[in-house]
Amino acid sequence: MRALILSVSAGGGHIQASLALKNYIMQFEPTSDIEILDTIKYINPLLDKLIIGSYLQTVKMTPSIFGKIYKFTEKDEGLNSVTNKFNELMAYKLLPIIDNYKPDIIICTHPFPTQMVSILKQKKKLNIPMICILTDYAPHNTWIHPKVDSYIVSNSDMKEEMTLRGVDKDSVFDFGIPVSSDFFLKYDKSQILAELNLDPLKKTIMIMGGSLGIGKIARVYSQLSKLTTNVQIIVIAGSNKKLYSQLMNLKEHSTVTTSILGFSKNINKYMQCSDLLITKPGGLTITEALICNVPLALFSAIPGQEKKNEEFLLRHKLAITLEDGTNCKEIIENLMSSPKQLQEMKENCRKYSKPSCGRDIFNLINVLIKKREIAVTKKD
């Protein structure tokens, strides 16, 4: 199998999903040739810095503006036509690498390359099956385009919503979002907690804000460091060095045993050891937590996609919300003192996890490749 995975490094989740899928394909068919392309960076590195840099700055500094853009691109035809024209110009820049690589399948994990490939297929420049993997828990119109052979979504609610938006229901598969196979490995909880100088007999709360350490993490920890229940805390600061310093200062006055960590590649281990994950509702983080069966408490949701993710989690009792984290101490104390509610949330996480995601997508890829081979043979 030759697969070309087109993504964009905006926020990390799209690329992470791409890497996870590549690893699954190689696991099931080791002779495969899989290429991941950071699409805008490949087309124009300076343009990538401008677009992705602006995106990350907006998300960090003025998330309300990002929320407005999200709404406008959902409804405003004028703004969408500008985006469409941009993607059409960029689409032709992809043709050389696609022609040279000659993939059996194209897989997109971001709206931009999805639309670019859609344009090329509409203009009959390509005749290659395409799969689009949505990396959140609610759809948005920027993902939906003609000539997409199959959509992979994270849950059955999305399948219904996509159908209402005019997508053929038979082309939508609620297989889930691919995450690293590391999250399926089992670790000894006592050993992992001991490495962090934590007590395996205590309830463990984990706080994180993605790899960038975004959100009101310091505010949340400041309150939870005064908890009176018998708990301990792991806080992941990610690559945010300023946040790490703030947390270390707060830890000095904490009455709760705490382990403060920077960027870590062991998130899977720490999630498995946790009884509650306090986090922003990013698509990949949610999926990882569901695989680990960890109940969620949500804060600092970015207006737009993360707010939609939050709505899904609350609707299905997979999480509680802390809003902006202003009054979270009492909420968390009540939850940690309610083993029945925690167990119910944990069980719901298990129900909504998609442990066979990688295998299901791999099987679908083979179906689409075979379908195209048959069509080409008949045509000849």
Side-chain angles (χ1 to χ4, degrees):
M1 177 193 303
R2 291 176 69 81
L4 181 60
I5 304 177
L6 301 177
S7 193
V8 173
S9 54
H14 306 285
I15 295 289
Q16 287 176 39
S18 302
L19 289 167
L21 182 58
K22 176 180 179 177
N23 290 336
Y24 285 122
I25 295 172
M26 296 305 296
Q27 177 185 329
F28 300 134
E29 193 175 303
T31 57
S32 298
D33 188 342
I34 315 296
E35 182 78 21
I36 298 174
L37 191 69
D38 194 337
T39 310
I40 301 178
K41 188 176 286 185
Y42 165 79
I43 291 170
N44 189 317
L46 291 176
L47 191 62
D48 177 74
K49 280 188 177 181
L50 177 65
I51 293 173
I52 304 307
S54 299
Y55 164 80
L56 294 175
Q57 278 297 107
T58 303
V59 166
K60 285 182 79 171
M61 307 304 295
T62 51
S64 60
I65 292 177
F66 178 80
K68 288 176 182 177
I69 294 171
Y70 181 92
K71 286 183 180 177
F72 285 149
T73 51
E74 182 81 303
K75 299 176 182 177
D76 189 273
E77 291 299 323
L79 190 56
N80 280 334
S81 65
V82 173
T83 307
N84 294 349
K85 199 64 184 173
F86 168 81
N87 281 333
E88 184 172 349
L89 291 170
M90 295 299 103
Y92 287 94
K93 302 282 188 180
L94 286 178
L95 266 180
I97 193 168
I98 295 172
D99 289 340
N100 288 335
Y101 187 67
K102 294 180 173 56
D104 300 310
I105 188 100
I106 295 174
I107 303 157
C108 299
T109 63
H110 189 277
F112 282 178
T114 302
Q115 185 173 27
M116 290 176 195
V117 176
S118 168
I119 289 166
L120 293 173
K121 291 185 74 172
Q122 287 178 77
K123 293 185 178 292
K124 302 188 185 305
K125 300 293 182 181
L126 288 180
N127 183 26
I128 299 169
M130 170 176 49
I131 293 175
C132 171
I133 301 177
L134 283 75
T135 53
D136 281 297
Y137 280 71
H140 187 274
N141 281 341
T142 53
W143 288 95
I144 299 171
H145 301 287
K147 300 293 184 181
V148 176
D149 294 272
S150 297
Y151 290 94
I152 308 296
V153 297
S154 58
N155 60 84
S156 57
D157 291 11
M158 284 181 73
K159 186 167 183 173
E160 293 177 18
E161 290 177 56
M162 298 276 281
T163 304
L164 292 173
R165 291 168 187 251
V167 178
D168 179 0
K169 66 177 181 180
D170 293 331
S171 69
V172 185
F173 301 86
D174 59 328
F175 290 161
I177 302 170
V179 299
S180 170
S181 57
D182 289 347
F183 283 87
F184 295 96
L185 300 175
K186 299 300 178 186
Y187 295 93
D188 184 273
K189 180 177 178 178
S190 298
Q191 182 182 335
I192 300 303
L193 290 175
E195 289 173 3
L196 299 175
N197 295 315
L198 297 176
D199 185 348
L201 299 178
K202 283 187 176 181
K203 294 283 186 186
T204 303
I205 298 172
M206 180 172 164
I207 308 171
M208 62 180 286
S211 60
L212 299 175
I214 296 175
K216 307 294 184 182
I217 297 173
R219 176 188 292 178
V220 170
Y221 175 61
S222 177
Q223 291 188 55
L224 299 191
S225 66
K226 301 177 179 65
L227 283 171
T228 56
T229 48
N230 190 30
V231 299
Q232 57 196 359
I233 299 173
I234 302 170
V235 193
I236 311 289
S239 57
N240 191 331
K241 293 180 180 178
K242 181 180 177 183
L243 172 63
Y244 184 85
S245 296
Q246 286 179 305
L247 293 169
M248 291 302 289
N249 289 334
L250 288 168
K251 180 184 175 181
E252 291 181 13
H253 308 286
S254 175
T255 57
V256 179
T257 305
T258 305
S259 178
I260 310 288
L261 303 170
F263 181 81
S264 174
K265 294 184 178 180
N266 296 316
I267 299 297
N268 54 319
K269 296 181 181 180
Y270 305 141
M271 274 195 193
Q272 284 189 31
C273 295
S274 300
D275 299 282
L276 179 69
L277 174 63
I278 301 178
T279 183
K280 291 165 77 297
L284 264 290
T285 301
I286 291 169
T287 308
E288 291 162 356
L290 296 183
I291 291 294
C292 294
N293 302 161
V294 185
L296 294 144
L298 309 172
F299 70 95
S300 297
I302 298 169
Q305 65 216 35
E306 288 193 354
K307 269 294 181 186
K308 292 289 186 180
N309 292 347
E310 182 179 66
E311 289 170 11
F312 169 83
L313 294 169
L314 296 176
R315 184 164 66 247
H316 293 288
K317 297 182 179 178
L318 302 161
I320 60 169
T321 180
L322 305 177
E323 298 295 346
D324 64 353
T326 305
N327 300 304
C328 63
K329 180 175 176 287
E330 184 178 349
I331 297 171
I332 295 301
E333 275 185 335
N334 289 338
L335 179 61
M336 299 309 290
S337 301
S338 177
K340 185 178 179 181
Q341 185 181 358
L342 272 174
Q343 185 57 41
E344 181 186 5
M345 292 168 68
K346 188 179 179 73
E347 182 60 25
N348 288 340
C349 288
R350 187 192 63 76
K351 289 177 184 176
Y352 280 90
S353 67
K354 305 279 186 178
S356 63
C357 173
R359 169 65 74 176
D360 290 338
I361 297 176
F362 174 76
N363 290 338
L364 177 62
I365 289 170
N366 281 313
V367 167
L368 291 176
I369 291 173
K370 192 68 178 175
K371 187 177 177 182
R372 185 200 177 210
E373 288 173 352
I374 292 169
V376 169
T377 303
K378 284 184 177 179
K379 192 175 179 181
D380 294 340

